[in-house]
Amino acid sequence: MFSLKLSRSRKNEGTLVDQIVASIEQELRHGTFPAGTALPSVRALAKSHNLSTYTVSEAYQRLVSLGLLSARAGAGYRVATPAAKAPEPSAWSTPSLNKAWLLSDVFAVKTVPIKAGCGWIPNDWINETGVQHALRVVSRVPASRIGGYGHPYGLSTLREYIANSLRRYSMSVGSDDVLLTQGVTQALDLIVRTLLKPGDTVLVEDPCYCNLLEILKVAFVNVVSVPRTPDGIDSAQLEEIVKNHKPKAMFINTVLQNPSGTSLSASSAFRLLQIADREGIWVVEDDISRELAPVGAPCLAAMEGLQRVVYVSGFSKTITPAMRVGYIAAGRELLSRLALTKMAVGLTSSEVTERAVANVLIEGHYDRHTAHIRERLFNAHGRVTQSMRDAGVEVFHTPNAGLFLWAKLPIAPEDSISVANEALRRGIWLAPGSYFRPGEHTSEWFRFNAATSDAPELWAFLRSLQEGAYRRL
Amino acid sequence: MFSLKLSRSRKNEGTLVDQIVASIEQELRHGTFPAGTALPSVRALAKSHNLSTYTVSEAYQRLVSLGLLSARAGAGYRVATPAAKAPEPSAWSTPSLNKAWLLSDVFAVKTVPIKAGCGWIPNDWINETGVQHALRVVSRVPASRIGGYGHPYGLSTLREYIANSLRRYSMSVGSDDVLLTQGVTQALDLIVRTLLKPGDTVLVEDPCYCNLLEILKVAFVNVVSVPRTPDGIDSAQLEEIVKNHKPKAMFINTVLQNPSGTSLSASSAFRLLQIADREGIWVVEDDISRELAPVGAPCLAAMEGLQRVVYVSGFSKTITPAMRVGYIAAGRELLSRLALTKMAVGLTSSEVTERAVANVLIEGHYDRHTAHIRERLFNAHGRVTQSMRDAGVEVFHTPNAGLFLWAKLPIAPEDSISVANEALRRGIWLAPGSYFRPGEHTSEWFRFNAATSDAPELWAFLRSLQEGAYRRL
């Protein structure tokens, strides 16, 4: 049916997948083949053109994503009906920025050129070889070992590995003190649903992780906040707020905080634990950036044990968020309640991705790769901090590590959303501070990701703010 | 270090992985090597014994699970310290059966010989070739396409495929009407958290899916119930309950219901939708067993559209629960709210597993495999129904399809938990009906899985109940 002209040299033609997609796309756009026409099977096309079935399969699936082919069980791939060609509603066409957009749709925007506000490492920083090798290994596991629901606590090899790693931070844990979750965000959600009920009061940092605020809102929990300082948390302020509001739990992002980039000083950590202990408050420690931080940064769970501290981390920032693997370490009794909540509301986590993560950790040169990410981030922070200075942007704290920088733009707080919208029209995604603050505050502070804030267009835009350009817009 | 004696013939020696595990285990149990001794790297051992790295990696990881090795980033595999050899708390030693155990720990019990009460297809029914092929394909996807968070709605190829499949049931949907979730259970949880708030009242079937009851409990929602009949739901009863309790939503498992095995008749479906429409009640249709059901069974979403019906399904029963891929189809406005909840409480679902599932569906001979499962289940139902009769066990309905049979044992309702405990001591896992009923009712009814209820020991035990053996215990 199709006569594919393929070049094995990648110089000008792109990958083989690209070439097949382009070639078939061209034929289909000419409308030569009516809707419903069957394409050659993956195997047949691969054979006739001496290609791997992977290459053909990937090309066909990309054409499905483009709305040009449709795929049905038993019927293979067919030319799509025009109806199915409707563009994704999520395609990027300068949306209007609001909290809902930031929370969800921004993840759909693969095409926004400059993701200065995003919360993840760039795709090309990922340990591709390690991840691909791991998935190949998983593909050889027999169904008898991977076919059913996994263990409620998650894959034991991975829990064992995690416990070993945590002991390096002098936490006293075994594999039975670890519960695997679908990322850190689900971990926080399970904790909220296990420890709290509607009407309870909790304490968060201002600013703090945006999804935590959403999780607490969905759980009908009252939120009070304590300001995050460059050193962590001011214990006198904390004492006052705890006295007035009697929170049941406090949520602390210990090192390289999202979004402020700050870390708790040892004394700030100690005072906080002292207050929590005296007042009987749960401390939920979000420690997702631990492996990006300098050694020796304080760890609440290591200091206090897992009596009152519930520890949360994961691998989104060092392996890939596509795996969705995170974990909770907590005392045995609480952990079994957390496992029950996990099973009740979603059953087990995926052993497929857990096995892949375990493999990357153990065999994928994980430590070397993580060291490389730290080095890249250190260099990125150097560049971005300098650019911030040049653009007249005030930085809250200069961590030189982790993903985040918290920066004050030269604008009025009430203009932050319009500035972010204006940036978006120029292909720049900014993350306004209001998104990370409890309550309905506006803010002239924004979160920046050092790994994705290199583009000259970003800095030109920020400089124009200093010059008052925005007010003239 | 180790001198492995391996036989390439599988006849008596087991797989190569088994042999390596046994060989290393023997050396370690003799205590020849002190804790902390490094093992040869995966690559080195593979090379020296002419093995694939997969084989060695799998063997090492199994030894980690046995507590004999430990794995650390950068340090490879080492002989574990005795402390790490402590047995998993989840190892099976005739636990005492209660709701918490059924909800969670039973998933940890890989060793209970007869899983008569379980809710999944046996591991060896899984399309192993299709799943393994799919994971190999996924392992070749470049990081640029799989490295980050996926689309908030989930992988578009898979949504497109699902929409195509649903149109076969005459549902009018496109890929933008579909939201991917981490299994059906998370789908139900997201719906509950999006549509309902604490104190709202909902209607469920009695009996119904056990996890739904847990989800509603965690959400502080009031539950009223309507009895499930062999035909579905009695509309006069439904009318009465709706009038008295004004539920905001009703949760219906349309075909081959879990646990009763019954399906809604066309008229039962029509009356139910009529009442829901008149009273303005959301209908959440759990349709997980659709592909195991005879063609032509009524589908609420197909009848009513997605105005008031929220449709939920997934691939746990036809591909493997290990992928954790399910979905919701709903009206656009509601679906975008559901996507927001999904993102808020757990971010995106895993594109790794979504790609694997898409590949199995499109290229894994999915229809043929599903037809094969239907045939096996039909045969299993024939055998089990006959055995039930022989054992004097009353069956609520004889579906001859799907996984489930709802059966009344010749015991007093208040004895159900002790009977289940007695069965467990004999290596038989039974699922007591109280687990599937709202409120704190006892029940002489039990859920059976036709695919896992073939063992003679099971039937001997059930026959002994008829003979009053239990009362003498």
Side-chain angles (χ1 to χ4, degrees):
Chain A
M1 166 186 180
F2 294 108
S3 53
L4 302 178
K5 283 173 208 75
L6 306 176
S7 153
R8 306 272 156 171
S9 131
R10 286 198 186 192
K11 268 181 214 144
N12 306 309
E13 322 287 344
T15 65
L16 285 170
V17 173
D18 294 338
Q19 293 178 55
I20 300 169
V21 170
S23 177
I24 296 181
E25 187 173 358
Q26 204 180 15
E27 297 213 43
L28 293 179
R29 299 266 186 220
H30 284 142
T32 328
F33 301 101
T37 307
L39 270 79
S41 77
V42 169
R43 237 164 279 260
L45 192 69
K47 206 172 167 196
S48 65
H49 286 75
N50 195 23
L51 295 161
S52 79
T53 52
Y54 157 74
T55 305
V56 177
S57 164
E58 179 64 14
Y60 276 5
Q61 292 193 28
R62 223 183 275 175
L63 287 159
V64 171
S65 305
L66 291 170
L68 292 166
L69 297 185
S70 71
R72 281 166 207 247
Y77 293 90
R78 290 173 181 275
V79 177
T81 54
K85 286 186 200 169
E88 295 277 294
S90 44
W92 193 55
S93 51
T94 48
S96 180
L97 186 143
N98 57 33
K99 210 162 183 172
W101 189 86
L102 278 170
L103 189 64
S104 169
D105 295 354
V106 78
F107 285 78
V109 177
K110 303 288 179 197
T111 50
V112 57
I114 302 164
K115 294 193 176 69
C118 85
W120 53 85
I121 56 168
N123 282 6
D124 59 1
W125 288 29
I126 283 165
N127 176 1
E128 184 178 67
T129 320
V131 169
Q132 292 189 340
H133 169 79
L135 287 165
R136 264 198 313 282
V137 169
V138 175
S139 77
R140 300 188 63 174
V141 177
S144 60
R145 293 189 65 81
I146 205 171
Y149 287 100
H151 190 286
Y153 279 56
L155 185 73
S156 69
T157 318
L158 180 54
R159 287 187 283 124
E160 172 71 28
Y161 175 95
I162 290 167
N164 271 331
S165 307
L166 294 180
R167 287 199 291 269
R168 293 201 288 183
Y169 299 120
S170 75
M171 283 173 64
S172 165
V173 287
S175 61
D176 302 330
D177 304 306
V178 175
L179 176 74
L180 302 187
T181 62
Q182 281 150 345
V184 163
T185 313
Q186 194 211 21
L188 291 170
D189 188 44
L190 292 176
I191 292 167
V192 167
R193 300 172 86 183
T194 305
L195 288 182
L196 305 168
K197 37 180 215 309
D200 281 349
T201 296
V202 300
L203 184 140
V204 301
E205 304 171 296
D206 180 7
C208 69
Y209 177 43
C210 42
N211 285 64
L212 172 61
L213 295 172
E214 298 301 314
I215 289 167
L216 294 168
K217 197 196 282 177
V218 177
F220 301 95
V221 163
N222 300 321
V223 171
V224 295
S225 66
V226 60
R228 182 89 180 193
T229 68
D231 272 350
I233 285 158
D234 181 274
S235 55
Q237 269 184 311
L238 180 63
E239 188 99 52
E240 185 71 20
I241 294 163
V242 163
K243 203 173 292 170
N244 291 336
H245 297 279
K246 306 268 170 226
K248 214 167 157 184
M250 50 173 100
F251 291 81
I252 308 292
N253 188 179
T254 314
V255 296
L256 304 173
Q257 196 229 21
N258 180 359
S260 73
T262 60
S263 297
L264 253 57
S265 68
S267 75
S268 182
F270 172 70
R271 294 290 170 208
L272 182 151
L273 286 174
Q274 213 174 24
I275 294 168
D277 196 46
R278 200 188 57 219
E279 306 291 332
I281 303 170
W282 288 105
V283 178
V284 182
E285 178 174 35
D286 173 354
D287 211 29
I288 178 69
S289 288
R290 172 68 52 184
E291 293 184 286
L292 304 179
V295 263
C299 170
L300 301 172
M303 290 166 77
E304 196 264 355
L306 296 172
Q307 309 295 308
R308 197 166 290 295
V309 176
V310 188
Y311 184 86
V312 167
S313 194
F315 304 99
S316 296
K317 306 242 189 283
T318 48
I319 297 179
T320 159
M323 295 288 186
R324 314 301 307 120
V325 176
Y327 61 90
I328 304 173
R332 294 273 163 103
E333 192 275 328
L334 175 59
L335 203 68
S336 76
R337 284 167 57 207
L338 288 163
L340 265 177
T341 307
K342 170 184 165 180
M343 293 300 290
V345 304
L347 296 175
T348 61
S349 36
S350 167
E351 282 216 349
V352 171
T353 50
E354 286 168 4
R355 274 176 183 265
V357 165
N359 191 282
V360 172
L361 289 168
I362 299 171
E363 294 169 26
H365 303 289
Y366 177 71
D367 275 7
R368 197 167 73 196
H369 179 75
T370 306
H372 187 49
I373 292 182
R374 278 195 297 270
E375 193 188 313
R376 289 180 90 159
L377 283 171
F378 177 80
N379 294 332
H381 272 279
R383 288 192 303 274
V384 170
T385 308
Q386 185 57 50
S387 305
M388 291 272 180
R389 254 183 234 121
D390 297 346
V393 172
E394 183 188 333
V395 173
F396 186 69
H397 177 64
T398 312
N400 287 320
L403 260 55
F404 302 116
L405 269 175
W406 188 235
K408 185 179 170 182
L409 301 191
I411 59 166
E414 59 274 21
D415 288 339
S416 61
I417 298 299
S418 0
V419 167
N421 269 320
E422 178 56 29
L424 208 52
R425 276 188 286 276
R426 300 169 190 218
I428 301 166
W429 165 28
L430 296 181
S434 53
Y435 185 35
F436 305 92
R437 301 193 61 192
E440 297 299 316
H441 306 291
T442 58
S443 173
E444 66 274 52
W445 292 89
F446 284 69
R447 180 183 78 178
F448 286 85
N449 181 338
T452 56
S453 296
D454 256 345
E457 296 89 336
L458 166 66
W459 300 107
F461 178 72
L462 295 184
R463 276 194 304 272
S464 76
L465 296 177
Q466 188 190 17
E467 291 148 13
Y470 170 67
R471 254 147 286 171
R472 287 194 306 267
L473 285 172
Chain B
M1 166 187 182
F2 294 107
S3 53
L4 303 178
K5 284 173 208 73
L6 306 175
S7 153
R8 304 274 156 171
S9 133
R10 287 199 184 192
K11 266 181 215 145
N12 307 309
E13 323 286 344
T15 66
L16 285 169
V17 173
D18 294 338
Q19 293 178 54
I20 301 169
V21 170
S23 178
I24 297 181
E25 188 173 359
Q26 204 179 15
E27 297 212 43
L28 293 179
R29 300 263 186 222
H30 285 139
T32 330
F33 301 101
T37 307
L39 270 80
S41 77
V42 169
R43 237 164 279 259
L45 192 69
K47 206 172 166 199
S48 65
H49 286 74
N50 195 24
L51 296 161
S52 80
T53 52
Y54 157 73
T55 304
V56 178
S57 164
E58 179 65 12
Y60 277 5
Q61 292 193 29
R62 223 182 276 176
L63 287 159
V64 171
S65 305
L66 291 170
L68 293 165
L69 298 185
S70 72
R72 281 166 207 245
Y77 294 90
R78 291 173 181 275
V79 177
T81 54
K85 288 186 199 167
E88 295 277 292
S90 44
W92 192 57
S93 52
T94 48
S96 181
L97 186 144
N98 58 34
K99 209 162 185 173
W101 189 85
L102 278 169
L103 189 65
S104 170
D105 295 354
V106 77
F107 285 77
V109 177
K110 304 288 180 197
T111 48
V112 57
I114 301 164
K115 294 194 175 67
C118 85
W120 53 85
I121 55 168
N123 282 6
D124 59 0
W125 288 29
I126 282 166
N127 176 1
E128 183 179 69
T129 320
V131 169
Q132 292 189 340
H133 169 78
L135 286 166
R136 266 198 311 282
V137 169
V138 175
S139 78
R140 300 187 62 173
V141 177
S144 60
R145 293 189 65 81
I146 205 171
Y149 287 101
H151 190 288
Y153 279 55
L155 185 75
S156 69
T157 317
L158 180 53
R159 288 187 283 124
E160 173 71 29
Y161 176 94
I162 290 167
N164 271 331
S165 307
L166 294 180
R167 287 199 289 269
R168 293 201 288 184
Y169 300 120
S170 76
M171 282 172 64
S172 165
V173 287
S175 62
D176 303 329
D177 304 308
V178 175
L179 176 73
L180 302 186
T181 61
Q182 281 151 344
V184 162
T185 313
Q186 195 212 21
L188 291 170
D189 188 43
L190 292 176
I191 292 168
V192 166
R193 298 172 86 183
T194 305
L195 289 182
L196 304 167
K197 37 180 214 311
D200 282 348
T201 296
V202 300
L203 184 139
V204 302
E205 305 172 295
D206 180 6
C208 69
Y209 177 44
C210 42
N211 286 64
L212 172 62
L213 295 172
E214 298 301 314
I215 290 168
L216 294 168
K217 196 196 282 176
V218 177
F220 301 95
V221 163
N222 300 322
V223 171
V224 295
S225 66
V226 60
R228 182 90 180 191
T229 68
D231 272 351
I233 284 158
D234 181 274
S235 54
Q237 269 183 310
L238 180 63
E239 188 99 51
E240 186 70 18
I241 294 163
V242 163
K243 202 173 291 168
N244 291 336
H245 297 280
K246 307 268 171 226
K248 213 166 157 184
M250 52 173 98
F251 292 81
I252 308 292
N253 188 178
T254 314
V255 296
L256 303 172
Q257 197 228 22
N258 180 358
S260 73
T262 60
S263 297
L264 253 57
S265 69
S267 75
S268 182
F270 171 71
R271 294 291 169 207
L272 181 153
L273 286 174
Q274 212 174 24
I275 294 169
D277 196 46
R278 200 188 57 218
E279 306 290 333
I281 303 170
W282 289 105
V283 178
V284 182
E285 178 174 34
D286 172 355
D287 211 29
I288 180 66
S289 288
R290 173 67 53 182
E291 293 183 285
L292 303 179
V295 264
C299 170
L300 300 173
M303 289 167 79
E304 196 264 354
L306 296 172
Q307 309 295 309
R308 199 166 288 295
V309 175
V310 188
Y311 184 86
V312 167
S313 194
F315 304 99
S316 296
K317 305 241 190 284
T318 48
I319 297 180
T320 158
M323 295 289 186
R324 313 302 307 121
V325 176
Y327 61 88
I328 303 172
R332 294 273 163 104
E333 194 274 329
L334 175 59
L335 203 67
S336 75
R337 284 166 57 205
L338 288 164
L340 264 178
T341 307
K342 169 185 166 181
M343 293 299 289
V345 304
L347 296 176
T348 61
S349 36
S350 168
E351 282 216 348
V352 171
T353 49
E354 287 168 4
R355 274 175 183 266
V357 165
N359 190 283
V360 172
L361 289 168
I362 300 171
E363 295 169 26
H365 303 290
Y366 177 71
D367 275 7
R368 197 167 73 196
H369 180 75
T370 306
H372 187 50
I373 292 182
R374 278 196 297 270
E375 193 188 313
R376 289 179 89 158
L377 283 171
F378 177 80
N379 293 333
H381 271 279
R383 288 191 303 274
V384 171
T385 308
Q386 185 58 50
S387 304
M388 292 273 181
R389 252 183 236 122
D390 297 346
V393 172
E394 182 189 332
V395 172
F396 186 69
H397 177 65
T398 312
N400 286 321
L403 260 54
F404 302 115
L405 270 176
W406 189 234
K408 185 178 170 183
L409 302 191
I411 59 167
E414 59 274 20
D415 287 338
S416 61
I417 298 298
S418 2
V419 167
N421 268 321
E422 178 56 30
L424 207 52
R425 274 189 286 276
R426 301 171 188 217
I428 301 167
W429 165 26
L430 296 182
S434 53
Y435 186 34
F436 305 93
R437 301 192 62 191
E440 297 299 316
H441 306 291
T442 57
S443 173
E444 66 273 53
W445 291 88
F446 284 69
R447 180 183 80 179
F448 286 84
N449 181 338
T452 56
S453 296
D454 256 345
E457 297 87 338
L458 167 65
W459 299 109
F461 178 73
L462 295 184
R463 276 195 304 273
S464 77
L465 296 177
Q466 188 189 16
E467 293 149 12
Y470 171 68
R471 251 148 287 169
R472 287 193 309 266
L473 285 172

